[in-house]
Each structure stands twice: as C-alpha cells, then as structure tokens.
C-alpha cells in the first residue's frame, strides 16, 4: 500500500527536523574542546596559562556556549535552575557531585560562584605582584573546586588558616568557608532523587536556529562562522557546494544515460558472453573502493613514467586569468575533471547496468510479455517499448539511495584529486575540529538527500499510474 502525499509531506518535514537536530547535537557534543584551540589562536592563551580558565569562561560567555543546550532537559530537582559553565571537566563534575550530595542548590551555586570570583581576584593579584603566596593559595583554591565533594573540608580550612604564609588571604578564606558551612550544614540530599524538567528559552539551539551572538540563525540561512578563519560559513561553502553537486549530478546523469540503454541492449541481444562480461564488470565495480579506482587512474594516466595525459589534482590550470569567459574556464578545466568524473561514475555505472539488467530480465518472464510475443511483436519492441517503460519507476527510485552514497564517496575522491568541494572541506573540518563548519556540511548534505527523495517520489508518482490510482 502506497503512502498518501500528505503523509509523505509529514515524513519529509519530520526528516528535515531530525537532520536539523542531528547536525546541531553533533556539532556541540563532539569530543575535544574547540575553545582551547580558539584561545590559543586568537588570544595566545594555552591550557598551561595562569589565566586560562578565566579567559575560557569569558570566551564561552561571549559566544553563548555557557547557555543550556536545548529548551528543556531532564535532571534532578537539586540540579535544576543552577547551571554554571566550568572551564574544566573536573570542576564541572565536582559541582554536579556537590549538588547531588547536599541538594542545597542555591548555596552550592553561591559557593561555586564565590570560588570563581576568588580565581579572578587571585589572577589580578598575580599579574600585579607575582608572589609565591598567591600561587600557593591559588593551588588550594583549585583543590577545593576540584575535590570538595569528596574531601573532608574541615581539615582543608584548618590547614589554610594555620598556614602563616597565607595570612593576607584570611578574609577571602573566611568568605569561602562561611559559604561552605551554609551549604554543608543545611543539606537537602533528597532533592537529588526527585526528577525534574529544566526549561530554558535562552539556549544554544535557540541561538543557532533563530539567531544569537555568533550568527543570525539558520532560519535566516546563516550557518554560523568558521572557528578558524572567522569567515561566514555560507560564503565559505557557496562555491564548494557547486563543485560537489556538479560532480554528483553529472555522475548520476552519465551512469543512467549510458547504463540503462546498455543494459536494455544486452537483454535484447541475449549474448551470453557479453552478459558474462557485463556481470564481471558490475562485480568489479561493486568490489573496488573508490580510493583504489582513483589511485589506479592516477597511476595510469597522470604518471610521467607511463601516460601523463591528465593533471593529477586541482580543477583548473594554475594562473588562469579571472577575466576569461565561463566557456573558456570550462574548456580549460575539462582535462582536470575527466579522472575524478570517471572515479565518481565507475561503480555507479556498474550498479545501474546490473540493476537494470536484472529488472528487465524479471519483466521478460511476466505474462504481459508472453502476450506481446503471441501478438507477433519482436524482441526489440518488447524490450524498449514495454519492459523498459515498466522498470523506469524502480530505477528512478534508486536515485534516492544512490545520492547519499555519492556524497559519502566525494569525501575520498575530492581529497584524492584536490577538488575544492564539500567532501574535501569535511576532511579539513574534522582535522581542525571546526565544529560549526562540519555541522553545516552535515546539514546541507542531509537536506540535499531529503530533496532528492522528494524529487524521486514526485517523478515516480508522475510515471507510474498505479501509484496515482492507489493514492487517489
């Protein structure tokens, strides 16, 4: 039973929403910390710097990374409404453990904030005086922030108060100690066992989709800013999308234009040797990964020791004048495009020929073909005018499955031939941990696949009258 157009539309909308959520969560939940790289590149602050944590918290606030992830999240009553951004995982874990252990959310929150304020004070003093006592007290403060949930804090306060070298820091110590006593002497640990849903209208997804500190939002077609170049991702990917889609769609066009008539001709001729050869070609096309096809092509046709016919990388001659017409640029680029296009098309052509041949052979066994032969129609008319017409809808449906595979293969092909497309950009984004760029590429690829599925459904609906009647 075929799905109605309304249900199909709802399915596409849900798929689009899933793509949006997936690209967002992949971007924010990937391993590693892009802020560390940004701090090192933009502000020359490394992890070992004394003001590393303060600078990182400032940058996180400036970029909106210290906000909650989504509109709601499931947590305990003790953790709801008192989120703080921490520069290190140890401090984050210690804060969570304090909330769960004591349940006194407000007091735990105030204690953590006072510790962060003390960090800022010590950093300012250290820049001005650079005293060993400041470093010593700072070390104690770091210990408290990392381990207070699992340590006997009474002994820690006593040790600090008895240390004569830290006399100047007693007022600061007293503030922190009094805050600690409030949270530890009034525990509400039962709150850690009560589930709660935390809501937040101001969150990272809202900024990413509707607009925030870094972009105008996906709804305004703003995909954000690259972490490493500072360039808008939309303008960065504009030309790269054209290269990737151009190669993908051209490869699909060539594979279908050559593959379908070739398969029909083989079925019509009924030549066993030719059929065996084509099956061998299809099996080879399936078995050979695209990177191996690419390496073989480069070895054979871009090798000075064999046949140095085609360029080995790039998409145009170095130093090509920008004033050259579009036709001139295209003509100059043709030698650069032949090997990548063969690499894109090779396995796809094998798949189309094999699948079309199998579908046609299945059609030739059906009753309507027997009837056509009984009426005196020749094999050529039967194959090209009857059987082929009935295999077109399932063949077009294959496009929806082929397109994601081509996008995946483009990562290898574009890297191998140095094509400035999205596949090549994916590799660079992964190596540099450029999460906004990687998220944008995933989003674009996902939506392109959904659009392809929609176009295929429309084409099959128009070509197959059986679907029209069942939908009606």
């Amino acid at each position: 039973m075929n799905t109605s157009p309304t249900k199909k539309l709802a399915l596409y909308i849900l798929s689009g929403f899933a793509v949006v959520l997936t690209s967002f969560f992949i971007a924010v939940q990937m391993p590693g910390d892009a802020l560390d790289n940004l701090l090192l590149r933009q502000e020359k602050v490394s992890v070992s710097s004394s003001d590393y944590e303060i600078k990182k918290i400032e940058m996180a606030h400036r970029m909106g990374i210290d906000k909650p992830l989504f509109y709601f999240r499931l947590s305990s009553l003790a953790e709801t409404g008192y989120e703080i951004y921490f520069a290190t995982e140890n401090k984050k874990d210690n804060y969570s453990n304090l909330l769960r252990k004591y349940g006194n959310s407000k007091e735990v929150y105030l204690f953590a904030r006072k510790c962060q304020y003390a960090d800022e004070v010590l950093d300012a003093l250290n820049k001005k005086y650079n005293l060993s006592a400041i470093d010593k007290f700072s070390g104690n403060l770091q210990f408290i922030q990392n381990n207070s949930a699992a340590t006997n804090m009474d002994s820690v306060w006593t040790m600090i108060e008895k240390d004569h070298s830290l006399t100047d820091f007693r007022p600061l110590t007293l503030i922190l100690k009094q805050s600690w006593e409030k949270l530890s002497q009034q525990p509400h640990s039962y709150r850690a066992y009560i589930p709660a849903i935390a809501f937040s209208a101001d969150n990272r997804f809202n900024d990413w989709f509707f607009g925030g500190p870094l972009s105008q939002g996906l709804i305004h077609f703003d995909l954000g800013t690259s972490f490493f170049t500072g360039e808008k991702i939309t303008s960065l990917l504009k030309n790269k999308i054209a290269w990737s889609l151009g190669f993908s769609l051209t490869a699909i066009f060539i594979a279908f234009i050559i593959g379908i008539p070739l398969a029909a001709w083989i079925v019509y001729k009924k030549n066993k040797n030719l059929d065996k050869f084509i099956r061998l070609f299809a099996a080879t096309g399936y078995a050979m990964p695209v990177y191996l096809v690419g390496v073989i092509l480069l070895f054979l046709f871009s090798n000075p020791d064999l046949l140095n016919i085609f360029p080995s990388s790039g998409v145009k001659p170095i130093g090509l004048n920008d004033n050259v017409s579009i036709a001139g640029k295209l003509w100059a680029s043709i030698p650069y495009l032949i090997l990548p296009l063969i690499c894109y098309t090779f396995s796809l052509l094998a798949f189309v020929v094999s699948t079309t041949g199998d579908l046609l052979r299945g059609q030739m066994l059906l009753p309507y073909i027997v009837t056509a032969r009984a009426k005196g129609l020749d094999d050529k008319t039967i194959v090209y005018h009857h059987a082929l017409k009935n295999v077109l809808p399932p063949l077009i449906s294959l496009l929806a499955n082929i397109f994601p595979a081509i996008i995946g293969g483009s990562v290898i092909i574009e890297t191998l031939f140095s094509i400035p497309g999205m596949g090549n950009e994916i590799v660079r984004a992964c190596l540099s941990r450029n999460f906004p760029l990687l998220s944008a590429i995933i989003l674009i690829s996902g939506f392109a696949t959904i659009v392809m599925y929609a176009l295929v459904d429309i084409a099959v609906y128009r070509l197959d009258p059986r679907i029209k009647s069942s939908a009606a």
Side-chain angles (χ1 to χ4, degrees):
M1 183 178 178
N2 293 295
T3 308
S4 67
T6 305
K7 290 182 179 179
K8 286 267 187 182
L9 179 61
L11 183 62
Y12 289 136
I13 292 173
L14 287 174
S15 299
F17 184 65
V19 168
V20 168
L21 287 180
T22 301
S23 62
F24 170 73
F25 282 110
I26 284 177
V28 299
Q29 296 292 354
M30 279 190 172
D33 196 330
L35 286 182
D36 290 341
N37 293 327
L38 282 174
L39 282 170
L40 184 61
R41 194 184 77 255
Q42 293 182 2
E43 302 189 19
K44 311 302 180 186
V45 176
S46 66
V47 177
S48 58
S49 302
S50 59
D51 59 348
Y52 157 72
E53 292 189 23
I54 294 171
K55 292 291 186 182
K56 188 173 181 180
I57 291 172
E58 288 175 356
M59 178 172 280
H61 180 70
R62 191 165 63 247
M63 297 175 66
I65 295 177
D66 58 344
K67 296 179 181 179
L69 201 60
F70 200 59
Y71 294 102
F72 60 87
R73 69 181 184 91
L74 183 64
S75 64
S76 67
L77 193 60
E79 299 170 277
T80 302
Y82 290 93
E83 292 82 9
I84 301 179
Y85 178 82
F86 291 94
T88 66
E89 287 297 320
N90 286 341
K91 290 184 179 179
K92 180 181 177 181
D93 293 341
N94 183 69
Y95 180 71
S96 298
N97 291 334
L98 283 175
L99 287 171
R100 288 192 290 268
K101 182 177 180 180
Y102 293 102
N104 197 344
S105 308
K106 182 180 178 181
E107 298 302 334
V108 173
Y109 174 84
L110 291 174
F111 175 72
R113 282 298 189 199
K114 288 173 182 177
C115 286
Q116 288 186 338
Y117 172 73
D119 269 334
E120 295 174 9
V121 171
L122 292 173
D123 181 64
L125 290 172
N126 198 33
K127 287 179 180 178
K128 189 174 182 179
Y129 299 109
N130 194 23
L131 299 174
S132 58
I134 298 175
D135 291 334
K136 190 173 184 180
F137 188 81
S138 180
N140 288 323
L141 182 60
Q142 295 300 317
F143 177 84
I144 291 170
Q145 293 181 85
N146 286 320
N147 304 285
S148 54
T151 303
N152 181 3
M153 289 298 297
D154 290 338
S155 60
V156 174
W157 300 124
T158 302
M159 179 191 68
I160 295 173
E161 288 170 346
K162 287 184 177 180
D163 192 332
H164 297 294
S165 64
L166 302 179
T167 303
D168 294 336
F169 300 99
R170 282 182 180 172
L172 191 56
T173 304
L174 182 62
I175 292 172
L176 296 177
K177 183 180 178 182
Q178 288 175 344
S179 180
W180 172 261
E181 288 173 347
K182 280 187 178 181
L183 77 88
S184 60
Q185 292 176 4
Q186 301 173 10
H188 302 291
S189 53
Y190 67 89
R191 290 165 58 88
Y193 302 98
I194 301 176
I197 299 177
F199 293 94
S200 177
D202 187 19
N203 57 74
R204 292 176 66 181
F205 180 80
N206 189 79
D207 290 348
W208 181 78
F209 193 82
F210 293 104
L214 300 181
S215 72
Q216 294 179 347
L218 181 62
I219 199 169
H220 297 108
F221 302 101
D222 188 342
L223 299 173
T225 305
S226 171
F227 271 175
F228 295 94
T229 64
E231 187 179 355
K232 282 292 183 182
I233 292 174
T234 306
S235 59
L236 184 67
L237 292 180
K238 185 168 56 177
N239 295 328
K240 301 182 186 301
I241 292 172
W243 280 112
S244 295
L245 280 182
F247 271 110
S248 300
L249 296 178
T250 304
I252 290 173
F253 178 77
I254 292 173
F256 274 74
I257 287 297
I258 296 176
I260 293 176
L262 180 60
W265 182 71
I266 293 167
V267 172
Y268 160 63
K269 285 295 183 180
K270 298 179 181 178
N271 188 314
K272 290 186 178 180
N273 292 329
L274 183 61
D275 189 51
K276 287 180 181 178
F277 173 77
I278 294 299
R279 287 180 181 273
L280 178 63
F281 166 73
T284 305
Y286 289 152
M288 290 181 67
V290 288
Y291 67 85
L292 182 58
V293 176
V295 169
I296 292 173
L297 290 173
L298 288 172
F299 178 76
L300 292 177
F301 301 109
S302 295
N303 188 348
D305 297 328
L306 290 176
L307 297 173
N308 194 15
I309 301 174
F310 301 108
S312 60
S313 63
V315 292
K316 63 180 180 180
I318 297 175
L320 183 66
N321 195 332
D322 291 335
N323 296 325
V324 177
S325 65
I326 295 176
K329 290 179 180 179
L330 182 61
W331 180 256
S333 297
I334 285 176
Y336 292 83
L337 307 181
I338 291 175
L339 292 186
L341 203 53
I342 293 173
C343 199
Y344 266 102
T345 311
F346 181 74
S347 59
L348 181 57
L349 178 61
F351 176 74
V352 171
V353 170
S354 175
T355 305
T356 306
D358 291 339
L359 289 171
L360 283 172
R361 292 185 193 93
Q363 289 290 319
M364 299 302 286
L365 301 175
L366 294 178
Y368 81 93
I369 298 293
V370 178
T371 303
R373 285 195 176 120
K375 289 181 178 181
L377 296 179
D378 59 276
D379 283 348
K380 185 176 182 179
T381 303
I382 291 172
V383 171
Y384 285 98
H385 293 279
H386 295 281
L388 189 57
K389 186 188 298 183
N390 286 325
V391 302
L392 280 179
L395 277 177
I396 293 174
S397 297
L398 288 174
L399 275 173
N401 298 322
I402 288 171
F403 190 71
I406 291 180
I407 291 177
S410 70
V411 175
I412 298 172
I413 297 171
E414 290 178 8
T415 304
L416 189 62
F417 291 96
S418 300
I419 298 170
M422 286 208 303
N424 201 348
E425 205 61 36
I426 286 175
V427 176
R428 293 182 182 180
C430 287
L431 292 176
S432 61
R433 292 182 177 178
N434 197 346
F435 300 156
L437 179 58
L438 190 58
S439 172
I441 294 172
I442 292 170
L443 184 70
I444 293 169
S445 302
F447 271 109
T449 303
I450 291 173
V451 169
M452 181 60 72
Y453 269 97
L455 293 175
V456 164
D457 275 343
I458 292 170
V460 171
Y461 180 80
R462 303 284 292 182
L463 286 171
D464 195 338
R466 294 170 298 180
I467 296 178
K468 286 184 181 181
S469 59
S470 63

